[in-house]
Amino acid sequence: MKKIIKFLFTFVVFGFFVNVNASEKNHHSNKYKLGNIEIEGVYTFITPPTAKVAAGYMKIENEARKADTLLSVTNVSFAEKVEIHEMIMENQVMKMRPLLDGLNIAGDEEVYLKPSGFHIMFIGLKEPIVKGKMYKGTLNFKNAGSITVNFKAVDRGYHPDKDHHKHH
């Protein structure tokens, strides 16, 4: 009988710690869901103290059949202005331009906001981006609505795990 009680006690205690650990991972996993839109891997790079701009990156997946559009990013207290940008090659020169109509995410597709591609541009930084700090912003979609996310500040050498840049 003592062995059974000891076993059950160990099982319950172990189960408790596993569950606590799992919920912490989910809380810190940097994943968000808004209707049929799933967002993950939200980050920004740290900046030097005098930097005036920074960029935000993430993966956005549209699980609906109908396209949706990321129209804007608002409620950003650390920058004067926010734009959605893309980088394009034009005459063998990389150019950045704002997407005035937003970023389209086709139905059943994923879009990756990453360096040298689509990204969120934070313009007129009010403070440097500091490693480990979270910076809030609200993503506004045409169909799905709005959701507040945290941009995790990371070192320049940071690369999202390999699944973040896997394409179908």
Side-chain angles (χ1 to χ4, degrees):
M1 183 70 165
K2 282 185 178 181
K3 283 185 178 183
I4 293 173
I5 292 172
K6 188 175 180 181
F7 172 77
L8 288 174
F9 178 77
T10 303
F11 183 76
V12 169
V13 169
F14 179 75
F16 172 77
F17 284 115
V18 168
N19 284 335
V20 167
N21 204 13
S23 67
E24 284 179 9
K25 283 182 181 176
N26 290 337
H27 176 70
H28 296 293
S29 69
N30 212 359
K31 281 189 177 185
Y32 304 88
K33 184 125 173 90
L34 175 66
N36 290 315
I37 297 291
E38 191 169 293
I39 301 144
E40 66 179 288
V42 183
Y43 70 99
T44 185
F45 289 123
I46 61 172
T47 61
T50 58
K52 298 295 180 202
V53 296
Y57 310 103
M58 69 194 77
K59 177 182 107 173
I60 303 173
E61 182 174 0
N62 182 1
E63 297 172 339
R65 289 188 176 147
K66 183 180 179 183
D68 205 339
T69 304
L70 175 61
L71 297 171
S72 64
V73 181
T74 55
N75 299 322
V76 174
S77 63
F78 59 94
E80 293 173 13
K81 185 177 178 183
V82 182
E83 296 177 349
I84 302 166
H85 282 192
E86 74 173 330
M87 301 288 289
I88 58 167
M89 285 296 285
E90 194 173 282
N91 298 323
Q92 299 181 339
V93 176
M94 184 69 84
K95 293 187 177 181
M96 181 172 57
R97 68 176 185 183
L99 296 174
L100 301 177
D101 296 325
L103 175 61
N104 188 58
I105 302 108
D108 293 320
E109 291 291 327
E110 300 171 343
V111 173
Y112 295 85
L113 285 75
K114 59 186 180 179
S116 300
F118 297 117
H119 58 276
I120 307 299
M121 197 77 205
F122 303 113
I123 303 166
L125 292 180
K126 297 177 182 178
E127 61 185 85
I129 304 297
V130 180
K131 184 178 178 178
K133 188 173 176 184
M134 297 291 208
Y135 295 85
K136 288 187 187 225
T138 301
L139 307 179
N140 303 297
F141 293 89
K142 182 177 181 179
N143 299 322
S146 300
I147 187 168
T148 298
V149 300
N150 288 308
F151 290 85
K152 181 181 178 181
V154 297
D155 284 323
R156 288 261 168 211
Y158 172 81
H159 294 286
D161 54 6
K162 61 183 175 183
D163 289 338
H164 181 73
H165 288 284
K166 180 173 69 176
H167 297 275
H168 293 334

